[in-house]
Short mmCIF file of all heavy atoms in Angstrom, two decimals:
data_model
loop_
_atom_site.label_atom_id
_atom_site.label_comp_id
_atom_site.label_asym_id
_atom_site.label_seq_id
_atom_site.Cartn_x
_atom_site.Cartn_y
_atom_site.Cartn_z
N MET A 25 76.45 73.51 82.29
CA MET A 25 76.01 72.65 83.35
C MET A 25 76.76 71.31 83.29
O MET A 25 77.19 70.87 82.22
CB MET A 25 74.53 72.37 83.19
CG MET A 25 73.66 73.53 83.65
SD MET A 25 71.98 73.08 83.76
CE MET A 25 71.38 73.72 82.22
N THR A 26 76.88 70.69 84.42
CA THR A 26 77.58 69.42 84.56
C THR A 26 76.61 68.40 85.16
O THR A 26 75.84 68.73 86.05
CB THR A 26 78.79 69.58 85.48
OG1 THR A 26 79.61 70.61 84.98
CG2 THR A 26 79.58 68.30 85.58
N LYS A 27 76.69 67.19 84.68
CA LYS A 27 75.86 66.12 85.21
C LYS A 27 76.64 65.40 86.29
O LYS A 27 77.80 65.04 86.10
CB LYS A 27 75.45 65.14 84.11
CG LYS A 27 74.46 64.09 84.57
CD LYS A 27 74.11 63.13 83.46
CE LYS A 27 73.22 63.79 82.46
NZ LYS A 27 72.69 62.87 81.45
N ILE A 28 76.01 65.16 87.43
CA ILE A 28 76.62 64.45 88.54
C ILE A 28 75.84 63.15 88.71
O ILE A 28 74.61 63.16 88.82
CB ILE A 28 76.57 65.28 89.84
CG1 ILE A 28 77.36 66.56 89.66
CG2 ILE A 28 77.12 64.49 91.02
CD1 ILE A 28 77.27 67.53 90.82
N ILE A 29 76.58 62.04 88.79
CA ILE A 29 75.96 60.73 88.97
C ILE A 29 76.47 60.13 90.29
O ILE A 29 77.68 60.00 90.49
CB ILE A 29 76.28 59.79 87.80
CG1 ILE A 29 75.84 60.41 86.49
CG2 ILE A 29 75.67 58.42 88.03
CD1 ILE A 29 76.27 59.66 85.27
N ASN A 30 75.55 59.74 91.15
CA ASN A 30 75.89 59.09 92.40
C ASN A 30 76.30 57.66 92.07
O ASN A 30 75.51 56.88 91.55
CB ASN A 30 74.70 59.13 93.36
CG ASN A 30 75.03 58.54 94.72
OD1 ASN A 30 75.75 57.55 94.84
ND2 ASN A 30 74.47 59.18 95.74
N ILE A 31 77.54 57.26 92.38
CA ILE A 31 78.01 55.94 91.97
C ILE A 31 77.37 54.83 92.77
O ILE A 31 77.41 53.67 92.37
CB ILE A 31 79.56 55.87 92.06
CG1 ILE A 31 80.05 56.09 93.46
CG2 ILE A 31 80.20 56.80 91.08
CD1 ILE A 31 81.54 55.80 93.68
N HIS A 32 76.78 55.13 93.91
CA HIS A 32 76.14 54.10 94.73
C HIS A 32 74.69 53.86 94.32
O HIS A 32 74.25 52.71 94.33
CB HIS A 32 76.21 54.50 96.22
CG HIS A 32 77.61 54.65 96.72
ND1 HIS A 32 78.47 53.58 96.87
CD2 HIS A 32 78.31 55.75 97.06
CE1 HIS A 32 79.64 54.01 97.32
NE2 HIS A 32 79.57 55.34 97.44
N THR A 33 73.98 54.93 93.97
CA THR A 33 72.55 54.80 93.63
C THR A 33 72.25 54.95 92.17
O THR A 33 71.18 54.56 91.73
CB THR A 33 71.72 55.84 94.42
OG1 THR A 33 72.10 57.12 93.98
CG2 THR A 33 71.94 55.70 95.94
N GLY A 34 73.17 55.51 91.43
CA GLY A 34 72.92 55.76 90.00
C GLY A 34 72.05 57.00 89.76
O GLY A 34 71.73 57.34 88.63
N GLU A 35 71.70 57.69 90.82
CA GLU A 35 70.88 58.90 90.70
C GLU A 35 71.67 60.00 89.96
O GLU A 35 72.83 60.23 90.25
CB GLU A 35 70.50 59.40 92.10
CG GLU A 35 69.74 60.69 92.09
CD GLU A 35 69.52 61.24 93.51
OE1 GLU A 35 69.77 60.52 94.49
OE2 GLU A 35 69.11 62.41 93.60
N GLU A 36 71.01 60.64 89.02
CA GLU A 36 71.63 61.71 88.25
C GLU A 36 71.04 63.07 88.63
O GLU A 36 69.85 63.16 88.91
CB GLU A 36 71.40 61.50 86.75
CG GLU A 36 72.05 60.26 86.21
CD GLU A 36 71.85 60.11 84.71
OE1 GLU A 36 71.40 61.08 84.06
OE2 GLU A 36 72.13 59.04 84.19
N ARG A 37 71.91 64.05 88.65
CA ARG A 37 71.42 65.43 88.85
C ARG A 37 72.37 66.37 88.13
O ARG A 37 73.48 66.01 87.81
CB ARG A 37 71.30 65.80 90.32
CG ARG A 37 72.59 65.82 91.08
CD ARG A 37 72.34 66.13 92.57
NE ARG A 37 73.57 66.02 93.34
CZ ARG A 37 74.28 67.05 93.76
NH1 ARG A 37 73.86 68.28 93.53
NH2 ARG A 37 75.35 66.87 94.44
N GLU A 38 71.90 67.57 87.88
CA GLU A 38 72.70 68.56 87.18
C GLU A 38 73.25 69.56 88.17
O GLU A 38 72.56 69.98 89.10
CB GLU A 38 71.89 69.26 86.10
CG GLU A 38 71.55 68.35 84.96
CD GLU A 38 70.92 69.10 83.81
OE1 GLU A 38 71.02 70.33 83.77
OE2 GLU A 38 70.35 68.43 82.95
N TYR A 39 74.52 69.93 87.99
CA TYR A 39 75.18 70.90 88.83
C TYR A 39 75.24 72.20 88.03
O TYR A 39 75.78 72.26 86.95
CB TYR A 39 76.59 70.44 89.18
CG TYR A 39 77.41 71.50 89.89
CD1 TYR A 39 77.20 71.78 91.21
CD2 TYR A 39 78.39 72.22 89.21
CE1 TYR A 39 77.96 72.76 91.87
CE2 TYR A 39 79.14 73.19 89.85
CZ TYR A 39 78.91 73.44 91.16
OH TYR A 39 79.63 74.41 91.81
N ILE A 40 74.68 73.25 88.63
CA ILE A 40 74.74 74.58 88.02
C ILE A 40 75.74 75.40 88.81
O ILE A 40 75.60 75.58 90.02
CB ILE A 40 73.36 75.24 88.02
CG1 ILE A 40 72.36 74.37 87.28
CG2 ILE A 40 73.43 76.65 87.47
CD1 ILE A 40 70.92 74.85 87.40
N LYS A 41 76.78 75.89 88.12
CA LYS A 41 77.82 76.68 88.79
C LYS A 41 77.19 77.97 89.33
O LYS A 41 76.50 78.69 88.61
CB LYS A 41 78.92 77.02 87.79
CG LYS A 41 80.07 77.77 88.41
CD LYS A 41 81.15 78.04 87.37
CE LYS A 41 82.27 78.86 87.97
NZ LYS A 41 83.29 79.20 87.00
N PRO A 42 77.42 78.28 90.61
CA PRO A 42 76.87 79.51 91.17
C PRO A 42 77.48 80.75 90.52
O PRO A 42 78.65 80.69 90.11
CB PRO A 42 77.23 79.44 92.66
CG PRO A 42 78.33 78.45 92.74
CD PRO A 42 78.22 77.53 91.58
N PRO A 43 76.75 81.81 90.40
CA PRO A 43 77.31 83.03 89.83
C PRO A 43 78.43 83.59 90.69
O PRO A 43 78.45 83.42 91.90
CB PRO A 43 76.13 83.99 89.75
CG PRO A 43 75.18 83.50 90.80
CD PRO A 43 75.39 82.01 90.89
N GLU A 44 79.38 84.28 90.02
CA GLU A 44 80.47 84.89 90.77
C GLU A 44 79.94 86.11 91.53
O GLU A 44 79.07 86.81 91.05
CB GLU A 44 81.58 85.31 89.81
CG GLU A 44 82.21 84.15 89.12
CD GLU A 44 83.36 84.58 88.23
OE1 GLU A 44 83.89 85.68 88.40
OE2 GLU A 44 83.72 83.77 87.36
N PRO A 45 80.47 86.33 92.72
CA PRO A 45 80.03 87.48 93.51
C PRO A 45 80.47 88.80 92.86
O PRO A 45 81.32 88.83 92.00
CB PRO A 45 80.77 87.32 94.83
CG PRO A 45 81.22 85.90 94.87
CD PRO A 45 81.37 85.47 93.46
N ASN A 46 79.84 89.88 93.26
CA ASN A 46 80.18 91.20 92.78
C ASN A 46 81.46 91.70 93.47
O ASN A 46 81.88 91.15 94.47
CB ASN A 46 79.06 92.18 93.06
CG ASN A 46 77.81 91.87 92.27
OD1 ASN A 46 77.86 91.08 91.32
ND2 ASN A 46 76.71 92.43 92.66
N CYS A 47 82.04 92.76 92.89
CA CYS A 47 83.25 93.38 93.47
C CYS A 47 82.96 93.83 94.90
O CYS A 47 81.92 94.41 95.17
CB CYS A 47 83.66 94.58 92.61
SG CYS A 47 85.10 95.46 93.23
N SER A 48 83.89 93.54 95.79
CA SER A 48 83.72 93.90 97.20
C SER A 48 83.78 95.40 97.44
O SER A 48 83.33 95.88 98.48
CB SER A 48 84.80 93.21 98.05
OG SER A 48 84.68 91.83 97.95
N ILE A 49 84.35 96.19 96.50
CA ILE A 49 84.45 97.63 96.68
C ILE A 49 83.31 98.35 95.99
O ILE A 49 82.55 99.09 96.62
CB ILE A 49 85.81 98.15 96.18
CG1 ILE A 49 86.94 97.57 97.03
CG2 ILE A 49 85.84 99.67 96.21
CD1 ILE A 49 88.32 97.92 96.57
N CYS A 50 83.19 98.15 94.68
CA CYS A 50 82.20 98.94 93.90
C CYS A 50 80.89 98.20 93.64
O CYS A 50 79.97 98.78 93.07
CB CYS A 50 82.81 99.43 92.58
SG CYS A 50 83.12 98.10 91.40
N ASP A 51 80.82 96.92 94.00
CA ASP A 51 79.65 96.10 93.86
C ASP A 51 79.20 95.88 92.39
O ASP A 51 78.08 95.56 92.10
CB ASP A 51 78.47 96.69 94.66
CG ASP A 51 77.40 95.65 94.95
OD1 ASP A 51 77.75 94.47 95.14
OD2 ASP A 51 76.19 96.03 94.97
N SER A 52 80.15 96.03 91.45
CA SER A 52 79.82 95.78 90.05
C SER A 52 79.97 94.30 89.73
O SER A 52 80.75 93.59 90.37
CB SER A 52 80.72 96.62 89.12
OG SER A 52 82.05 96.18 89.22
N GLU A 53 79.20 93.84 88.74
CA GLU A 53 79.32 92.48 88.28
C GLU A 53 80.52 92.36 87.33
O GLU A 53 80.74 93.24 86.51
CB GLU A 53 78.06 92.05 87.54
CG GLU A 53 76.83 92.03 88.43
CD GLU A 53 75.58 91.64 87.61
OE1 GLU A 53 75.70 91.26 86.44
OE2 GLU A 53 74.48 91.76 88.18
N PHE A 54 81.30 91.30 87.45
CA PHE A 54 82.42 91.06 86.56
C PHE A 54 82.74 89.59 86.51
O PHE A 54 82.31 88.82 87.38
CB PHE A 54 83.66 91.88 86.97
CG PHE A 54 84.33 91.38 88.21
CD1 PHE A 54 85.50 90.63 88.13
CD2 PHE A 54 83.81 91.65 89.47
CE1 PHE A 54 86.11 90.17 89.27
CE2 PHE A 54 84.43 91.21 90.61
CZ PHE A 54 85.58 90.46 90.50
N SER A 55 83.48 89.16 85.50
CA SER A 55 83.87 87.77 85.35
C SER A 55 85.38 87.66 85.49
O SER A 55 86.13 88.30 84.76
CB SER A 55 83.43 87.25 83.97
OG SER A 55 84.01 85.98 83.73
N LEU A 56 85.83 86.82 86.42
CA LEU A 56 87.26 86.64 86.60
C LEU A 56 87.89 86.05 85.35
O LEU A 56 89.00 86.43 84.98
CB LEU A 56 87.53 85.69 87.79
CG LEU A 56 87.31 86.25 89.17
CD1 LEU A 56 87.43 85.17 90.22
CD2 LEU A 56 88.30 87.35 89.46
N GLU A 57 87.21 85.13 84.67
CA GLU A 57 87.78 84.49 83.49
C GLU A 57 87.85 85.41 82.29
O GLU A 57 88.81 85.40 81.54
CB GLU A 57 86.98 83.24 83.12
CG GLU A 57 87.14 82.08 84.09
CD GLU A 57 86.21 82.19 85.28
OE1 GLU A 57 85.12 82.81 85.14
OE2 GLU A 57 86.57 81.71 86.36
N GLU A 58 86.81 86.22 82.11
CA GLU A 58 86.74 87.07 80.91
C GLU A 58 87.40 88.43 81.09
O GLU A 58 88.02 88.95 80.17
CB GLU A 58 85.28 87.27 80.52
CG GLU A 58 84.62 85.97 80.08
CD GLU A 58 83.14 86.14 79.81
OE1 GLU A 58 82.68 87.31 79.72
OE2 GLU A 58 82.46 85.12 79.72
N GLU A 59 87.25 89.06 82.24
CA GLU A 59 87.71 90.43 82.45
C GLU A 59 88.97 90.54 83.28
O GLU A 59 89.68 91.53 83.20
CB GLU A 59 86.61 91.26 83.12
CG GLU A 59 85.34 91.36 82.32
CD GLU A 59 84.26 92.07 83.06
OE1 GLU A 59 84.47 93.26 83.39
OE2 GLU A 59 83.22 91.44 83.37
N GLY A 60 89.20 89.58 84.14
CA GLY A 60 90.33 89.67 85.05
C GLY A 60 89.85 90.06 86.43
O GLY A 60 88.72 89.79 86.79
N GLY A 61 90.71 90.68 87.19
CA GLY A 61 90.40 90.98 88.59
C GLY A 61 91.00 89.87 89.43
O GLY A 61 91.86 89.10 88.99
N THR A 62 90.56 89.75 90.65
CA THR A 62 91.10 88.72 91.55
C THR A 62 90.12 88.39 92.63
O THR A 62 89.17 89.15 92.91
CB THR A 62 92.45 89.15 92.14
OG1 THR A 62 93.06 88.04 92.77
CG2 THR A 62 92.29 90.27 93.17
N LYS A 63 90.33 87.27 93.27
CA LYS A 63 89.59 86.91 94.48
C LYS A 63 90.60 86.41 95.48
O LYS A 63 91.68 85.92 95.12
CB LYS A 63 88.53 85.86 94.19
CG LYS A 63 89.06 84.51 93.77
CD LYS A 63 87.95 83.54 93.55
CE LYS A 63 88.51 82.19 93.11
NZ LYS A 63 87.46 81.21 92.93
N GLY A 64 90.28 86.58 96.76
CA GLY A 64 91.20 86.15 97.80
C GLY A 64 90.61 86.39 99.17
O GLY A 64 89.39 86.45 99.30
N TYR A 65 91.47 86.54 100.14
CA TYR A 65 91.03 86.71 101.52
C TYR A 65 91.76 87.87 102.17
O TYR A 65 92.97 88.05 101.98
CB TYR A 65 91.29 85.45 102.34
CG TYR A 65 90.43 84.29 101.92
CD1 TYR A 65 90.85 83.40 100.93
CD2 TYR A 65 89.18 84.10 102.50
CE1 TYR A 65 90.05 82.35 100.54
CE2 TYR A 65 88.37 83.03 102.13
CZ TYR A 65 88.83 82.17 101.13
OH TYR A 65 88.03 81.13 100.76
N PHE A 66 91.05 88.67 102.93
CA PHE A 66 91.62 89.64 103.89
C PHE A 66 91.46 88.95 105.23
O PHE A 66 90.37 88.95 105.79
CB PHE A 66 90.87 90.97 103.87
CG PHE A 66 91.31 91.93 102.79
CD1 PHE A 66 90.67 93.15 102.67
CD2 PHE A 66 92.34 91.65 101.92
CE1 PHE A 66 91.03 94.03 101.67
CE2 PHE A 66 92.72 92.52 100.94
CZ PHE A 66 92.06 93.73 100.84
N GLY A 67 92.52 88.38 105.74
CA GLY A 67 92.41 87.53 106.94
C GLY A 67 91.54 86.34 106.59
O GLY A 67 91.89 85.54 105.74
N MET A 68 90.38 86.26 107.23
CA MET A 68 89.46 85.16 106.93
C MET A 68 88.24 85.62 106.13
O MET A 68 87.34 84.83 105.83
CB MET A 68 89.01 84.47 108.21
CG MET A 68 88.32 85.37 109.20
SD MET A 68 88.05 84.52 110.74
CE MET A 68 86.29 84.40 110.74
N LEU A 69 88.23 86.89 105.72
CA LEU A 69 87.10 87.43 104.94
C LEU A 69 87.35 87.27 103.45
O LEU A 69 88.35 87.77 102.94
CB LEU A 69 86.88 88.90 105.27
CG LEU A 69 86.57 89.27 106.72
CD1 LEU A 69 86.52 90.76 106.90
CD2 LEU A 69 85.24 88.66 107.11
N PRO A 70 86.44 86.61 102.74
CA PRO A 70 86.61 86.50 101.31
C PRO A 70 86.33 87.83 100.60
O PRO A 70 85.41 88.55 101.00
CB PRO A 70 85.58 85.43 100.88
CG PRO A 70 84.56 85.47 101.96
CD PRO A 70 85.26 85.91 103.22
N VAL A 71 87.16 88.18 99.61
CA VAL A 71 86.99 89.44 98.87
C VAL A 71 87.14 89.14 97.37
O VAL A 71 87.85 88.21 96.97
CB VAL A 71 87.99 90.53 99.31
CG1 VAL A 71 87.72 91.00 100.73
CG2 VAL A 71 89.42 90.06 99.14
N TRP A 72 86.49 89.98 96.54
CA TRP A 72 86.57 89.92 95.10
C TRP A 72 86.81 91.34 94.62
O TRP A 72 86.15 92.27 95.07
CB TRP A 72 85.29 89.40 94.48
CG TRP A 72 85.02 87.95 94.76
CD1 TRP A 72 85.31 86.89 93.97
CD2 TRP A 72 84.43 87.40 95.93
NE1 TRP A 72 84.95 85.72 94.55
CE2 TRP A 72 84.39 86.00 95.77
CE3 TRP A 72 83.92 87.94 97.11
CZ2 TRP A 72 83.88 85.15 96.72
CZ3 TRP A 72 83.42 87.09 98.06
CH2 TRP A 72 83.40 85.71 97.87
N PHE A 73 87.77 91.52 93.69
CA PHE A 73 88.03 92.84 93.14
C PHE A 73 87.93 92.80 91.62
O PHE A 73 88.58 91.98 90.98
CB PHE A 73 89.41 93.34 93.52
CG PHE A 73 89.63 93.53 95.02
CD1 PHE A 73 90.76 93.04 95.63
CD2 PHE A 73 88.71 94.20 95.78
CE1 PHE A 73 90.97 93.23 96.98
CE2 PHE A 73 88.89 94.39 97.14
CZ PHE A 73 90.01 93.91 97.74
N CYS A 74 87.14 93.73 91.06
CA CYS A 74 87.08 93.87 89.62
C CYS A 74 88.41 94.46 89.14
O CYS A 74 89.21 94.95 89.95
CB CYS A 74 85.89 94.78 89.21
SG CYS A 74 86.10 96.52 89.64
N PRO A 75 88.71 94.40 87.84
CA PRO A 75 89.99 94.91 87.36
C PRO A 75 90.25 96.38 87.73
O PRO A 75 91.38 96.75 88.07
CB PRO A 75 89.92 94.74 85.84
CG PRO A 75 88.92 93.68 85.63
CD PRO A 75 87.95 93.79 86.76
N PHE A 76 89.23 97.22 87.66
CA PHE A 76 89.40 98.64 87.96
C PHE A 76 89.76 98.83 89.44
O PHE A 76 90.71 99.57 89.78
CB PHE A 76 88.13 99.41 87.62
CG PHE A 76 88.22 100.88 87.91
CD1 PHE A 76 88.93 101.71 87.07
CD2 PHE A 76 87.63 101.42 89.04
CE1 PHE A 76 89.04 103.06 87.34
CE2 PHE A 76 87.73 102.75 89.32
CZ PHE A 76 88.43 103.61 88.47
N CYS A 77 89.03 98.20 90.35
CA CYS A 77 89.29 98.36 91.78
C CYS A 77 90.63 97.72 92.16
O CYS A 77 91.36 98.26 93.00
CB CYS A 77 88.15 97.78 92.60
SG CYS A 77 86.63 98.77 92.49
N LEU A 78 90.97 96.57 91.56
CA LEU A 78 92.26 95.95 91.82
C LEU A 78 93.40 96.89 91.46
O LEU A 78 94.34 97.09 92.24
CB LEU A 78 92.38 94.62 91.07
CG LEU A 78 93.74 93.93 91.18
CD1 LEU A 78 94.05 93.59 92.62
CD2 LEU A 78 93.75 92.69 90.30
N SER A 79 93.32 97.49 90.27
CA SER A 79 94.34 98.44 89.83
C SER A 79 94.42 99.62 90.77
O SER A 79 95.53 100.07 91.11
CB SER A 79 93.99 98.92 88.41
OG SER A 79 94.88 99.91 88.02
N SER A 80 93.29 100.10 91.24
CA SER A 80 93.28 101.25 92.15
C SER A 80 93.89 100.92 93.49
O SER A 80 94.67 101.70 94.06
CB SER A 80 91.84 101.75 92.36
OG SER A 80 91.30 102.15 91.12
N VAL A 81 93.60 99.72 94.03
CA VAL A 81 94.16 99.32 95.32
C VAL A 81 95.67 99.16 95.20
O VAL A 81 96.42 99.59 96.08
CB VAL A 81 93.48 98.02 95.81
CG1 VAL A 81 94.26 97.39 96.97
CG2 VAL A 81 92.05 98.27 96.20
N LEU A 82 96.14 98.54 94.12
CA LEU A 82 97.57 98.38 93.92
C LEU A 82 98.29 99.72 93.76
O LEU A 82 99.39 99.91 94.31
CB LEU A 82 97.84 97.47 92.73
CG LEU A 82 97.40 96.01 92.89
CD1 LEU A 82 97.63 95.25 91.59
CD2 LEU A 82 98.09 95.34 94.07
N ASP A 83 97.65 100.64 93.06
CA ASP A 83 98.24 101.98 92.90
C ASP A 83 98.33 102.70 94.23
O ASP A 83 99.33 103.34 94.54
CB ASP A 83 97.42 102.79 91.89
CG ASP A 83 98.03 104.14 91.61
OD1 ASP A 83 99.21 104.19 91.20
OD2 ASP A 83 97.32 105.14 91.81
N MET A 84 97.28 102.58 95.05
CA MET A 84 97.27 103.21 96.35
C MET A 84 98.39 102.62 97.23
O MET A 84 99.09 103.35 97.92
CB MET A 84 95.94 103.03 97.05
CG MET A 84 95.83 103.74 98.38
SD MET A 84 94.21 103.62 99.15
CE MET A 84 94.08 101.90 99.48
N ALA A 85 98.58 101.30 97.18
CA ALA A 85 99.63 100.67 97.97
C ALA A 85 101.00 101.16 97.53
O ALA A 85 101.87 101.42 98.37
CB ALA A 85 99.55 99.15 97.85
N LYS A 86 101.21 101.30 96.22
CA LYS A 86 102.49 101.82 95.70
C LYS A 86 102.72 103.22 96.24
O LYS A 86 103.85 103.58 96.61
CB LYS A 86 102.49 101.87 94.18
CG LYS A 86 102.68 100.52 93.54
CD LYS A 86 102.67 100.72 92.02
CE LYS A 86 102.78 99.41 91.29
NZ LYS A 86 102.78 99.59 89.83
N GLN A 87 101.69 104.08 96.26
CA GLN A 87 101.85 105.43 96.77
C GLN A 87 102.18 105.45 98.24
O GLN A 87 103.03 106.21 98.70
CB GLN A 87 100.56 106.26 96.49
CG GLN A 87 100.31 106.52 95.05
CD GLN A 87 98.97 107.20 94.82
OE1 GLN A 87 98.46 107.87 95.71
NE2 GLN A 87 98.41 107.08 93.62
N LEU A 88 101.49 104.62 99.01
CA LEU A 88 101.73 104.58 100.45
C LEU A 88 103.13 104.06 100.79
O LEU A 88 103.75 104.49 101.76
CB LEU A 88 100.66 103.69 101.16
CG LEU A 88 99.27 104.28 101.20
CD1 LEU A 88 98.29 103.23 101.71
CD2 LEU A 88 99.22 105.50 102.09
N LEU A 89 103.63 103.14 99.96
CA LEU A 89 104.96 102.56 100.20
C LEU A 89 106.05 103.34 99.48
O LEU A 89 107.24 102.98 99.55
CB LEU A 89 104.98 101.09 99.73
CG LEU A 89 104.07 100.17 100.52
CD1 LEU A 89 103.99 98.78 99.85
CD2 LEU A 89 104.52 100.04 101.96
N ASP A 90 105.65 104.40 98.78
CA ASP A 90 106.58 105.26 98.02
C ASP A 90 107.39 104.46 97.01
O ASP A 90 108.60 104.61 96.88
CB ASP A 90 107.51 106.02 98.98
CG ASP A 90 108.13 107.23 98.29
OD1 ASP A 90 107.50 107.76 97.35
OD2 ASP A 90 109.24 107.62 98.70
N ILE A 91 106.70 103.57 96.28
CA ILE A 91 107.30 102.79 95.20
C ILE A 91 107.10 103.53 93.90
O ILE A 91 105.98 103.88 93.53
CB ILE A 91 106.67 101.38 95.13
CG1 ILE A 91 106.93 100.61 96.42
CG2 ILE A 91 107.21 100.62 93.92
CD1 ILE A 91 106.19 99.30 96.50
N ARG A 92 108.20 103.81 93.22
CA ARG A 92 108.12 104.55 91.97
C ARG A 92 108.37 103.61 90.78
O ARG A 92 109.28 102.81 90.80
CB ARG A 92 109.14 105.69 91.94
CG ARG A 92 108.95 106.66 93.08
CD ARG A 92 110.02 107.74 93.07
NE ARG A 92 110.08 108.42 94.34
CZ ARG A 92 109.33 109.40 94.71
NH1 ARG A 92 108.37 109.82 93.91
NH2 ARG A 92 109.47 110.00 95.86
N ASP A 93 107.51 103.72 89.75
CA ASP A 93 107.73 102.94 88.54
C ASP A 93 108.95 103.48 87.82
O ASP A 93 109.08 104.68 87.62
CB ASP A 93 106.50 103.00 87.62
CG ASP A 93 105.31 102.27 88.20
OD1 ASP A 93 105.52 101.35 89.01
OD2 ASP A 93 104.17 102.61 87.86
N GLY A 94 109.84 102.61 87.45
CA GLY A 94 111.08 103.12 86.89
C GLY A 94 111.27 102.71 85.52
O GLY A 94 111.79 102.89 84.59
#
């Protein structure tokens, strides 16, 4: 938790970081800092991918683009 102090009034309050959203594909809970994965946007839609789903999406894109690991 972080303490926030209003510089005009001196009022103090605590800031609690909101929990990270679940994976947009499999809906599993994961931590970007601890496990990896990614967050970003599809157009203007925010998305989060756990490491497993991110790996799967990248593999599918490689197959569709006929990219071979060499």
Side-chain angles (χ1 to χ4, degrees):
M25 283 191 261
T26 304
K27 186 182 286 188
I28 298 174
I29 302 173
N30 185 321
I31 61 171
H32 299 290
T33 64
E35 176 188 348
E36 295 182 13
R37 64 183 174 103
E38 291 188 16
Y39 172 77
I40 301 172
K41 184 178 176 183
E44 295 183 19
N46 294 345
C47 178
S48 298
I49 295 175
C50 69
D51 201 34
S52 66
E53 295 178 8
F54 72 102
S55 170
L56 286 172
E57 289 83 28
E58 295 174 14
E59 299 175 62
T62 192
K63 66 179 180 178
Y65 292 90
F66 276 177
M68 59 188 247
L69 300 174
V71 293
W72 292 263
F73 297 133
C74 70
F76 180 77
C77 290
L78 175 61
S79 174
S80 299
V81 167
L82 294 176
D83 184 55
M84 183 176 66
K86 285 181 183 180
Q87 292 175 24
L88 290 171
L89 296 171
D90 199 27
I91 297 172
R92 301 177 197 276
D93 291 334

